[in-house]
Amino acid sequence: GAQALNCNTSVRNYLIYIPQPRIQLTNLAQTTDFSMARKQLKKHRLFSSERPSSTAPNIPSSEGTSHPSADAPSVAGPSADTPRKLFSRMGHLFHRSNQTRSEPPATETTDTRIGSQINVAQQAMVEMKHMPQPLQTAVGLIGQANTAMTTIQSIEAILQPLKVFNFFVTTLSNVHPYVQFALGILTAASQLLINQANLDNEVFGLLNTIKDLYEFLMEKDTIENVDSMKETLRKISQEMSATALFVVKYCKKKNILVRIGDSFVSDPQTVARGHIKNLGDLMQQYRDRAIRDIQINMYRVLEDLNLEGMAYATGAGLNTTKKCLDGTRTEILKDITDWITTCNANAPRILWLHGQAGRGKSAIAHTIASWIEDVGAPGACFCFARDRQAERREEKILTTIARDLADRDAAFRRALSNVVSNNHALKATCDVVQQWKRFILEPLSKINGEIVGNVVVIIDALDESGPEKSRKDILSLLKSSEAAHLPANFRILLTSRPLPDIARVMRDVPHVKAISLDDIRQELVEHDIRLYVSKELDGLPTIEATEIQNVVKKSSGLFEWARLACEFIRPGRAGETWKERYEDLMALESEEGRTLLDTTYFAILKGGIPQSGKGLERYRSVMRQVVMTLEPLPMAVLNSMRKKFPNKQDHYDTVLILEFMSPVLGGIVDRVSAVRPLHASFYDFLMDRSRSGVYFVDTSEGKDLASATLQILCDNLQFNICELESSYLANAEVLDLSKKIEDKIPHHLSYSSRFWTQHLRKTAFDLGLAGLVEAIVGSEKIMFWLEVLSLLGMVGKGVDALGIVARWLQGQEGFKDVLALVEEGIKLIRNFGSVIVHSTPHLYASALPFIPSNALLSMMLLPKFPRLARVAVGGLKGWPVEQQLLQGHASTVNSVAFSCDGKGIVSGSGDETVRVWDVEGGVQIGSPLEGHT
């Protein structure tokens, strides 16, 4: 076969262009000698000077026609020169029509010139596919002599369009960022296949389809319609990502089990045929220019990896309602997209997007996050919120991000599972340093090259995490050398106001790229605000272009003010026209101590809330309730709690006030969503007397909410609240437990169970409140409360909660026994917490019978549960001295000290380390401190 190839120059030059039939090749015998084929392959050229001149495409060039030399690169990679000539000008196609940039490109390319360039590229691709019939016959005969050589050359022919595509993508400009994300995934998928050492001939038919796909993506028609067909392109990129991962995984490990919907398939040919069909259907949909709901079955490698138990911040993810209006913020979105999708290994790993309140930082972050999710790229979005600070999201930030990344990428999930398996303490750790090292850095280090595309983590509104100490550790990690040396395909997009503590850390750090929205050119910002205002006020009589331009100018670049202005112009009370509302808005001016945004907030409140009398008092009461609740609540839940306020005059429907506040609060119109500010700056305004004046909301006293939550517990707690039928089952094994919780533990009871002690802490000692505390702690209701915590998965928070009650009761006469019961409740959780977490019924079946017989809790509770098992012989006489077993030191512990608040322990050991421990979780905080000998 090798001799036959050498005897015919033309055959040699056309060999690589053999069209392969889409059939499964037979397995090669293990004795096949590939050495001759490899040697001969090195002699062949993809773009050969020995090809007859009549078939060579005439490629226009500014330097004149160029002829490839005999020393062109081998088929292992395209010529450095030829692909550039074939495809570099295809990118000009995107200069004709720019849908996303506000400024036109400097130069235009005519359709005629574009057409000729695209035709040249197409012709070159056609020549890679076809050959004259006599040569097909000759080569077919020769191919029979050496199957090994044909396979190698066929694989190279398949990979060639992928390599050309990767070069071609770098020449494109001015595409929509959404398209740019999809193209980035397609590039990463192709590179994954190119880098794969052994591409198996058993998936040859699938590889042929992949080749067809990448050739299709470079066709003139495909490129011209890429923006209008971006939804189909998204599906193509998702399917290609899954296909590439399947091929690579199959070539590395033949025996794999794949999930298709609810069934499992072990035959790789079945999976390959599925991918072939999906890719073919999507290419046809693109050709037809039709958006059809093609059912794409996702073929995923099955791996039984359980991450349950890792802390997760619910509701901290993407919110698509916050996205930018289409056509706005195009410049900054393009800049961020370029940073995300660049292949430059030296690109900064972190981008800090900052600006004053109202600039639109969150809108940009959520737009990027939605594009990433839509195209199926690996990523995560984590948002802080002023009204969610009680959840201490900063303790769950990296566990949440890690779980989200695991849901998006199988390789990361596998690596993360290996880290946390059989380590329950690590899963629940609130130590962000450990989370960073174990949940982010360690999995990433083990999956280098296995992720398709760049990984993007978005952290929005870090300034809303709480006081400075809440984000101190997060900022330290972002500044660290580990962050600087994250993998080249890892990006972190951070948004915040430039608060002093954040600015000190993030400025002048080499691996952080800082962009200020305060520095964006005014004309670009005004262009975007004009689009927004025009859309919002479209159709209003007497509001025309002049009025819209005046609103834009008055906004001074603040998107939040523009939103408020549009809400203000729509009449909120009878007897006013749109024009009159507009004129009132234009009359607003910044006052001493107030920004224009503050003045607008004041005007909106003034338009619906009186400045004196019963209306103002009710406003203050309702807004105090809204502001002081430790998580946003829907109106129905606010009303349920208000009915338990100690003053009966406060038992009115919150809608009396809230219906006038829809311009500044969400959850008013639909009455189902949680009531929360539409922008964090509104809460800042309300709680600063110098800015809000008569509409100031005083949050120094929390008696109403403390009383309401305690009364709700007294009225609603009961034995076996979810009607669990057996103690034989762990909570995780109870069918429909989440449905039972939803049905049996209403929202106001769930909230009260979790937060009653925090409201109590904000209230001065009061005999009425103390009586309600005694009604719970001094009765079986303390067990019913622990039952609810067990069902909600929050038993660990019970220690902190009862600790707050103990401090609140400390030194109060007449409550010595209540205080003792509270302290024993803490001991109950510490000694039996793991049992209660595992199975709620075992709070009664296993914990209660083994409480020390001389404990106040035992004497109070056991008579109320006469049918429980009893300890007949032995049993504890007093609470164990040992409360926690802290494991980690490798030698004798020589010194121990408690922190002032009792929540931390520090220990020194003969192993030459000092370690800090979390008392509640019994886990180590951070890494051991080393240096002393």
Side-chain angles (χ1 to χ4, degrees), residues 114-135:
I114 293 167
S116 65
Q117 292 167 348
I118 300 300
N119 287 337
V120 166
Q122 281 185 293
Q123 181 61 31
M125 294 305 295
V126 167
E127 291 182 6
M128 291 176 67
K129 298 179 190 177
H130 303 293
M131 68 173 72
Q133 183 62 38
L135 290 174

Side-chain angles (χ1 to χ4, degrees), residues 542-556:
T542 70
I543 303 297
E544 298 177 352
T546 301
E547 286 76 17
I548 288 173
Q549 181 60 25
N550 290 339
V551 172
V552 172
K553 286 291 184 185
K554 198 172 183 67
S555 71
S556 298

Side-chain angles (χ1 to χ4, degrees), residues 631 641 705 708-714 716-718 721 744-759 776 781-792 794-795 797-798 801-802 805:
E631 71 177 26
M641 297 183 68
L705 283 171
T709 52
L710 282 164
Q711 194 63 59
I712 288 169
L713 295 181
C714 289
N716 293 274
L717 288 175
Q718 58 179 300
I721 192 168
K744 300 297 183 179
I745 305 178
H747 199 157
H748 62 284
L749 177 58
S750 169
Y751 178 89
S752 299
S753 298
R754 290 177 288 135
F755 295 120
W756 67 277
T757 62
Q758 295 195 45
H759 288 300
I776 295 170
K781 290 187 184 296
I782 189 173
M783 299 295 283
F784 304 160
W785 171 63
L786 289 175
E787 185 182 326
V788 172
L789 291 188
S790 172
L791 292 164
L792 298 177
M794 302 195 68
V795 173
K797 299 298 180 184
L802 292 178
V805 178

Side-chain angles (χ1 to χ4, degrees), residues 39 137 332-333 340-341 347 645 658 726 738 792 913 915:
K39 290 176 183 177
T137 304
I332 186 64
L333 289 170
I340 290 172
T341 58
F645 277 19
L658 295 180
S726 172
S738 58
L792 298 177
T913 68
R915 301 177 188 243

